[in-house]
Amino acid sequence: MNSANHPPVVLVIAGNDPSGGAGICADTQAITALGAHPAPVLSSLTVQDTANAHAVEAMAANFVGAQARAVLADLPVAAIKLGLLGTAEIGREVAALLAEHPEIPVVTDPVLVAAGGAELAEKELIGTYLDELLPRTTVLTPNALEIRSLAPNAENTEARVAALLERGCRYVLAKGGDEDTPDVRNSLYSPEGLAGRYDSERLPGEYHGSGCTLASAIAAGLAKGLTPELAVGEAQAFTFNALRRGWKPGSKPGAQFIPFRYVLDD
Ligand code: PLP
């Protein structure tokens, strides 16, 4: 029995980053820190350090579906977070299982490329996002590269966001971390227009796992019953703190900072 005293469950479908900076480890840390219970379903394995990814191997799509359906048939899943899916076949499998649970809010981080630049997903997955996953997405969290890949014909952020909202997702959080601006500007849009602006200081250094942290924190908020606007606000604050306290455990050239997701605040 679910009870108000139990943490809400977030089903996460994502890849493993063995450095623990990004991927499903980042997701489970952020969700746990925000008081929800992560149910981790692996879509893929990567060979990766804190500088870059070196190889990615996708699971069989039906095995991804089987992992998720086992959880959905048993636990009271209150939100779903999609991280790296990797292949169009896995994307279609995930879309099919989302269709079986239309009432559960979904946060989609359309992961295509590792923070170090390595490609993590096949190109065909872009069409699956547009046609099958966006219509079931509550909050989409594209970074600068992802939003251009998903809306290649649009000329500016507003037009890109409009193209994605037309596909049926309820909110787009356009992330500005990789844009050429002095501060970091993340903007939340709904079909009614701008729903929130989250400006933060641009911290020095490169970060690995910031997108996973933010999207999972939003999913935790939705699972706790927050509105998308409040969930994004809480997630922004959590992620900024995690980045501000970020640390650099790697020793390789190009090693990046990873967010510190172990405490809520100072
Ligand atoms: N998921 C996996 C498995 C990854 O390896 C990565 C990046 O390396 C990501 C997601 C995206 O990471 P970020 O949060 O830095 O965008």
Side-chain angles (χ1 to χ4, degrees):
M1 266 293 271
N2 194 19
S3 117
N5 295 328
H6 293 173
V9 177
V10 179
L11 174 71
V12 182
I13 305 179
N16 187 52
D17 164 10
S19 81
I24 206 132
C25 185
D27 298 325
T28 56
Q29 288 180 349
I31 290 164
T32 306
L34 286 166
H37 172 79
V41 166
L42 275 183
S43 65
S44 49
L45 303 179
T46 69
V47 176
Q48 189 162 187
D49 48 43
T50 63
N52 210 347
H54 308 291
V56 52
E57 191 149 318
M59 311 285 299
N62 63 358
F63 199 70
V64 177
Q67 292 176 71
R69 287 190 176 90
V71 173
L72 285 159
D74 185 23
L75 280 73
V77 174
I80 298 175
K81 187 262 172 169
L82 306 181
L84 175 62
L85 300 178
T87 68
E89 201 187 348
I90 292 175
R92 287 192 295 272
E93 178 74 19
V94 170
L97 70 89
L98 294 181
E100 294 160 18
H101 299 273
E103 71 291 355
I104 303 178
V106 179
V107 179
T108 302
D109 186 12
V111 178
L112 300 174
V113 171
E119 295 207 357
L120 293 172
E122 61 183 31
K123 293 272 179 290
E124 291 74 11
L125 179 59
I126 291 175
T128 314
Y129 276 122
L130 294 173
D131 296 338
E132 301 190 43
L133 292 165
L134 265 56
R136 264 297 282 123
T137 292
T138 312
V139 183
L140 180 74
T141 63
N143 64 22
L145 180 140
E146 291 156 358
I147 201 165
R148 285 168 177 77
S149 302
L150 291 167
N153 300 322
E155 276 178 10
N156 54 38
T157 302
E158 281 67 27
R160 292 179 192 116
V161 167
L164 299 178
L165 289 169
E166 262 171 39
R167 293 286 182 158
C169 59
R170 286 186 42 217
Y171 290 83
V172 175
L173 179 64
K175 297 184 295 184
D178 300 323
E179 301 284 8
D180 189 16
T181 50
D183 52 357
V184 174
R185 297 174 195 168
N186 290 359
S187 303
L188 182 68
Y189 296 91
S190 74
E192 285 73 47
L194 189 65
R197 265 283 295 271
Y198 311 89
D199 295 354
S200 56
E201 173 194 345
R202 184 174 287 285
L203 299 167
E206 297 294 318
Y207 286 83
H208 182 81
S210 54
C212 304
T213 304
L214 180 61
S216 286
I218 298 170
L222 294 180
K224 290 189 284 186
L226 300 183
T227 62
E229 286 86 349
L230 289 177
V232 171
E234 179 185 81
Q236 286 283 159
F238 173 76
T239 304
F240 183 70
N241 264 324
L243 295 178
R244 197 170 47 79
R245 301 170 67 119
W247 58 306
K248 201 168 164 181
S251 55
K252 286 195 61 172
Q256 299 174 338
F257 286 87
I258 64 175
F260 189 90
R261 293 172 285 250
Y262 309 99
V263 290
L264 276 186
D265 209 345
D266 284 321

